[in-house]
Amino acid sequence: MENNIDGYLRQLKTEMKDCDRATVQDALSDAEEYLRNAMDNLKANKPEVPEANAFSSVVEEYGTPAEIA
């Protein structure tokens, strides 16, 4: 799996290739909003955590692109 938000969104879009366009757009928007807010919150509370580790932690809590799709 990718280790950043853009990569996550690309994978999510790929996983949802058979869904209608509106559903995909909603899922991408929701995922991006959640991931960005969670990353900002985590960095604010634990600035010492490396970005890759922080992202992995956020995805573990939110779900992989396959799980979300």
Side-chain angles (χ1 to χ4, degrees):
M1 178 170 56
E2 297 275 348
N3 62 355
N4 60 50
I5 293 171
D6 291 334
Y8 182 99
L9 296 174
R10 279 192 301 274
Q11 285 185 324
L12 179 56
K13 187 174 182 179
T14 298
E15 291 285 341
M16 296 184 74
K17 67 184 180 293
D18 296 328
C19 296
D20 68 89
R21 194 167 150 176
T23 300
V24 172
Q25 187 57 47
D26 286 347
L28 291 172
S29 294
D30 290 348
E32 183 173 15
E33 180 180 7
Y34 178 87
L35 294 171
R36 290 199 188 283
N37 287 336
M39 286 293 290
D40 289 346
N41 188 36
L42 188 58
K43 285 190 228 174
N45 292 317
K46 296 182 179 181
E48 71 281 357
V49 176
E51 182 116 0
N53 292 1
F55 185 73
S56 293
S57 175
V58 168
V59 170
E60 186 175 310
E61 188 175 311
Y62 185 65
T64 66
E67 292 168 333
I68 298 303

